[in-house]
Amino acid sequence: MARAEAHLRARPLRRVRARRRLRERELSEALGVSRIPVREALVRLAAEGLVVLPPLRGAASVG
């Protein structure tokens, strides 16, 4: 999870178009990890307000 979270923090999320979908599968494949560490990292980033996690829709950038 630490690797996934570090990667997501390093991405310029503020420069990503607002509400752009962050797909767990694409992120996990790019990092070479399973989807669970990516999902856990997204939950932590959502707690900090860096991404949003609408119910049943996946994560999205705040913008």
Side-chain angles (χ1 to χ4, degrees):
M1 177 177 63
R3 180 177 174 197
E5 187 173 350
H7 174 78
L8 291 171
R9 285 184 184 283
R11 292 181 72 179
L13 290 174
R14 300 218 185 270
R15 292 168 51 188
V16 173
R17 192 180 82 217
R19 302 289 184 191
R20 179 182 174 270
R21 232 166 139 194
L22 302 172
R23 293 180 171 86
E24 289 178 10
R25 182 172 302 207
E26 291 173 8
L27 293 169
S28 66
E29 288 173 0
L31 293 169
V33 298
S34 71
R35 290 171 57 187
I36 293 171
V38 171
R39 187 176 303 126
E40 291 173 349
L42 290 170
V43 168
R44 284 184 180 206
L45 293 175
E48 295 177 24
L50 296 174
V51 299
V52 293
L53 291 171
L56 304 174
R57 297 196 184 249
S61 63
V62 172

